[in-house]
Amino acid sequence: FHVAAVWDPDTPAAERAALAYGGVVVAGSLQGLTAHPGVDAVYIASPPAFHLHESRKSRAMKLRVAV
């Protein structure tokens, strides 16, 4: 797989993750991440309480989802 973009509500954490994957795009929101043209799947690594909401938003964009 290839990491195309990252998002985290903690912007510094997202920036660190982006650097770890070679300087990929940092999305400003979950919606921005799911709309990125290079994204065809998402890995949700948030606390369990947020999984359903984030999964539904991602599936609505026709993306594959891993939790």
Side-chain angles (χ1 to χ4, degrees):
F1 71 92
H2 168 75
V3 175
V6 298
W7 172 73
D8 191 303
D10 177 356
T11 302
E15 290 168 348
R16 288 190 301 275
L19 287 175
Y21 288 101
V24 299
V25 171
V26 175
S29 65
L30 177 61
Q31 185 175 7
L33 175 73
T34 59
H36 186 280
V39 173
D40 60 4
V42 295
Y43 176 75
I44 298 173
S46 61
F50 299 102
H51 288 179
L52 182 61
H53 172 74
E54 293 168 350
S55 295
R56 283 183 174 165
K57 284 194 167 271
S58 300
R59 292 294 301 150
M61 297 295 293
K62 308 291 188 214
L63 299 173
R64 293 180 294 254
V65 176
V67 178

